Each structure stands twice: as C-alpha cells, then as structure tokens.
Amino acid sequence: MMKPNKQKTFTDSYLRNLTLYVFTAIICGALTGYYFPEVSKHLETVSSYFFMLLEVLIIPVIFIAVMYGVSYIFSTRNAFKIVSQMVLYFLIITSVSIVLGIGSGLLLKPGANTGIIISSHKVLPERFLTKTTNPLHISNYVLFLLISISAGVLIGFSKKKNNILKAIDVGRNLFFKLIKYVYIFLPVVIFCNIAYGISVYGINTLLPLSKIVATVYLTSVFFIFGILGVITAYFKINLWDFLISIKEEIILVVATSSSKTAFPMIFDKMESQGYDRKILRLIIPLGYNFNLAGACIYLSISCIFLVQLYNIPLTVKDYFWLFITISIASKTASGVPGSGFLALIFTLSRFGKIPTTDLALLYSIDRFMNEARSVTNFIGITVSAAIISKLNQNTVSLKNDVS
C-alpha cells in the first residue's frame, strides 16, 4: 500500500490561498458581467493573451515531461507491460466515454422539441472559420507528441542519458518557476473570463439549450462517479479521497475552463501521495492528448443533439463511423479553451452527414459546457495515472532499488 509522502508541495502552500481568490474573482466577474455588460465585453482580450502566454510556457513542459517519461520507462522493468497497459486503458476509457455520450444523447434527447428556429442565430466567430480551413491545424498536437516521444526513445538508448536528463530537469524546473509566477495573475484572468461570458451570452442563453447542457453535466458526473468509481474501487483506490486530495487543481480547472492550467502542479501533488514519478511523467502528458474522456462525452452528445435537431436518420453503420470520427477528433481536443469546439467542427466536417451551418448555437453555450468537459478530462487523466502507477508499484520500486 502506498504511503503518502508528507513533503510540502507548491499546491499545498499556494493554491490553498488561491482558491479563495478564485471564488472571489468568479463572484465579482459574474456581478460585473451582469451589471456592466458593455465594459465586460472588452475583457476577453485579457484572458486570450493570458492563455496564449500560458500555452507558450506549458508546451515545453509537456515536451520535457513526455521525453522524461518515455526515456525512463525503457529503463524500467516490464516497460512493454506498462506501455501496453496505458494504451489499452486509454482505448477502453475513451471508447466507453463515446458510447456513454451517444447513449445519453439517444436516451435524454437533448435536441428534440427545443423550439429553436434553424438558422435564426449568428454565425461562428471568424477565428473558427479560418482554423477549419487549415488541414494541418488539427494534427499539431499529435505531431508535437510524436516528436517528443521519438526524442524520449533516443535519450533512453543514449549512453549519456543521465547527463541529458539532468539538463532537461533544469529546464523543466525553470519553466515551472515561470509558470508559478504567471499564476499570480490567475484571479484577474478568471474575473475577466467570467465577466465576458456573462455579458455576451448571459444566463438566458441556457433556456432553450438547457437540456444539452444538463445532458453533458449529468453524463460527466455519471462517468466520474459511476465508471471511474467502479474502476478505482476494483483497484482499491478510494475515488472520493483521491478527488479531495486534488481539489485545488480541480477548482483551478473549473475556474479557467482549461485542464492544462493544473498540469504543472499535479505532478508534485501526486508524487507527494506516493505515486511513482516516472510513470506520472509518462501517463499524464500522453493522457492530455489520448485520454480525454470529457471531450469524448461532449463531442458525442453535441453530435446527437444536432442529429435530433435536424431529424437526420442514421443507420447502425453511420453510428459506427461517427464513433470512429469522434475517436480521432477527441485526440485534437487538447489546448486552451475553445479547442474542444474546434474538435467538434472537425468531427462534423469529417463525418459529413450533419450540417455545420447552425454551429453558432452550440458555440453560444460552449463556455457553459467547457467546465464539465475540462474537469472530466482532468480527473480521467489523473485517475489513469494513479491506476497504472499502482499496478506497477512493486515493479518500479524494485527497479529503483536495483539502480
């Protein structure tokens, strides 16, 4: 059984106070957006530039984490077994998520009897229209991961592996420090983000589309406490205790609508609980692209919503190809807020049987669904790392003792 390490982590000392600031920023942002909508509509620029900066800093951290994890995993006993477990787990969980999302959509029928008049709303923002014309955009993250994995393999077989990894760790720690300083401005960014969302979309947007929002949230909750609850119980992990232990990171993900904001801190938090660093550095970064359960649920329900809205008849073969398309598209739903919606556009354009003319409908409520999508992604990723780490606890520990 894992014995938690009592060492003090960054999340323990900093995020405990940040949580209060985040809640204050959410409340103030909501009030500002409601009472001063004209001013609040200009605040989107602040959060946009913040996430651009954060992405620039986090990309090297992910690159380093993947290289580190891949290079070390090859020096661990039963490395092939660990990688096989990861691939199998990712495939099963994402497949279950897609089936669950499609099933929830068919059962709850979020797109039926909405009273919405088709094509009576605004078009998509220009940034989404321009991105969809770039066929390379959708594979940027996959290409990026392939390069980092390849670099990790080369380092793993290098005779100067230890020296290279020491240099990599220095760079990783530098970026972590920079990110921690950037996070000082998080409450301001959250304030701007909430104020903008309330001022532009308002609560009234949810009324005709409340059913799809409720479907996404209910399905996400069922996935976390139902599917993941059963899996963690099987592996003798208390899911509730685990979620409480990472509550600061979950709050951060909810407030920023991005699972990546918690990426730099979750390693220290889980390492302090006794999970193996080598496995965490492999599973978590790869999970951010290949184990996005929240994105799978969101994409599935959104597609079914549109199918029902347009009364499109689908055959069993159509559902199969929709499943395949969502499986591929979900691997692109990693990044700053809005990337999940871009993955939806990719899904619909590749599937071909669902019109994209009324996507502004879903975009208008995307901010409300993004929290559920991001939190489910994050919890799914951390749970996978905990399970695979626990499965290989004895193996990794034995190898560490030998080395």
Side-chain angles (χ1 to χ4, degrees):
M1 184 157 183
M2 292 185 183
K3 295 180 179 180
N5 189 344
K6 298 297 183 182
Q7 70 180 30
K8 189 176 182 181
T9 66
F10 169 67
T11 50
D12 291 332
S13 59
Y14 181 74
L15 286 181
R16 184 179 293 115
N17 295 324
L18 182 63
T19 301
L20 176 61
Y21 305 148
V22 165
F23 277 122
T24 304
I26 292 174
I27 295 171
C28 293
L31 293 174
T32 303
Y34 184 80
Y35 289 106
F36 304 99
E38 293 304 320
V39 175
S40 301
K41 288 178 181 178
H42 300 287
L43 297 179
E44 184 190 24
T45 306
V46 177
S47 57
S48 297
Y49 280 115
F50 174 82
F51 283 112
M52 286 174 59
L53 173 62
L54 190 62
E55 189 76 355
V56 170
L57 294 175
I58 286 183
I59 281 179
V61 173
I62 297 178
F63 188 89
I64 290 170
V66 172
M67 283 196 302
Y68 184 96
V70 170
S71 62
Y72 255 124
I73 208 67
F74 283 103
S75 64
T76 305
R77 289 187 177 182
N78 295 331
F80 179 77
K81 177 183 175 183
I82 295 174
V83 174
S84 299
Q85 289 171 346
M86 177 189 69
V87 173
L88 182 62
Y89 183 92
F90 285 2
L91 287 175
I92 292 175
I93 289 298
T94 52
S95 297
V96 168
S97 304
I98 296 171
V99 172
L100 181 62
I102 293 176
S104 296
L106 295 175
L107 178 65
L108 300 177
K109 301 185 184 304
N113 302 318
T114 59
I116 297 172
I117 301 174
I118 304 302
S119 299
S120 63
H121 40 271
K122 298 178 181 179
V123 297
L124 282 174
E126 184 67 22
R127 64 178 180 275
F128 286 110
L129 298 175
T130 54
K131 282 182 179 179
T132 55
T133 61
N134 179 10
L136 296 179
H137 175 84
I138 210 69
S139 61
N140 283 348
Y141 280 101
V142 176
L143 179 62
F144 165 77
L145 276 179
L146 290 176
I147 294 173
S148 57
I149 291 171
S150 302
V153 173
L154 292 175
I155 294 172
F157 288 105
S158 173
K159 294 181 180 179
K160 298 182 178 180
K161 170 185 166 181
N162 291 333
N163 293 332
I164 295 174
L165 289 177
K166 286 180 181 178
I168 288 176
D169 260 340
V170 171
R172 169 183 170 271
N173 292 333
L174 175 62
F175 278 107
F176 270 25
K177 288 181 180 179
L178 289 174
I179 291 172
K180 290 175 185 178
Y181 285 118
V182 170
Y183 277 8
I184 295 174
F185 301 99
L186 262 178
V188 176
V189 175
I190 292 166
F191 167 82
C192 296
N193 197 36
I194 296 295
Y196 172 79
I198 295 295
S199 65
V200 173
Y201 304 111
I203 303 300
N204 292 333
T205 308
L206 284 174
L207 295 179
L209 298 169
S210 59
K211 201 168 182 181
I212 183 175
V213 176
T215 302
V216 169
Y217 273 84
L218 288 173
T219 307
S220 298
V221 169
F222 178 80
F223 172 80
I224 293 170
F225 293 101
I227 305 299
L228 293 184
V230 170
I231 294 173
T232 51
Y234 178 81
F235 290 104
K236 298 180 180 180
I237 297 175
N238 189 307
L239 178 62
W240 183 253
D241 289 345
F242 180 78
L243 295 180
I244 292 297
S245 71
I246 60 171
K247 62 182 182 300
E248 292 89 355
E249 288 78 10
I250 293 175
I251 291 172
L252 189 61
V253 171
V254 171
T256 58
S257 299
S258 174
S259 57
K260 276 192 176 178
T261 51
F263 179 84
M265 291 90 70
I266 193 60
F267 292 99
D268 287 341
K269 174 61 72 70
M270 292 188 69
E271 284 175 28
S272 71
Q273 296 171 0
Y275 295 104
D276 188 82
R277 178 177 64 173
K278 296 178 182 178
I279 292 182
L280 293 180
R281 289 199 185 184
L282 176 72
I283 304 300
I284 292 177
L286 294 178
Y288 267 87
N289 265 85
F290 300 115
N291 185 30
L292 300 176
C296 292
I297 291 171
Y298 160 79
L299 293 172
S300 303
I301 294 175
S302 296
C303 289
I304 298 301
F305 167 82
L306 293 171
V307 166
Q308 294 168 350
L309 184 68
Y310 292 108
N311 292 315
I312 302 172
L314 295 182
T315 64
V316 174
K317 183 179 179 181
D318 291 330
Y319 280 110
F320 172 76
W321 284 115
L322 181 62
F323 173 89
I324 297 297
T325 307
I326 293 173
S327 298
I328 297 172
S330 65
K331 307 302 182 288
T332 70
S334 175
V336 296
S339 56
F341 188 77
L342 183 62
L344 175 61
I345 298 175
F346 173 83
T347 301
L348 298 177
S349 62
R350 295 302 185 274
F351 182 60
K353 293 200 172 185
I354 304 174
T356 59
T357 52
D358 295 292
L359 272 180
L361 262 178
L362 291 177
Y363 179 70
S364 67
I365 56 169
D366 186 66
R367 283 176 176 268
F368 297 102
M369 294 191 289
N370 201 19
E371 284 79 5
R373 184 170 70 217
S374 300
V375 169
T376 306
N377 283 340
F378 179 70
I379 292 175
I381 292 166
T382 53
V383 166
S384 68
I387 289 174
I388 296 175
S389 179
K390 186 169 185 178
L391 272 174
N392 298 278
Q393 179 184 358
N394 295 331
T395 299
V396 176
S397 298
L398 179 60
K399 180 65 180 179
N400 289 341
D401 293 340
V402 173
S403 59

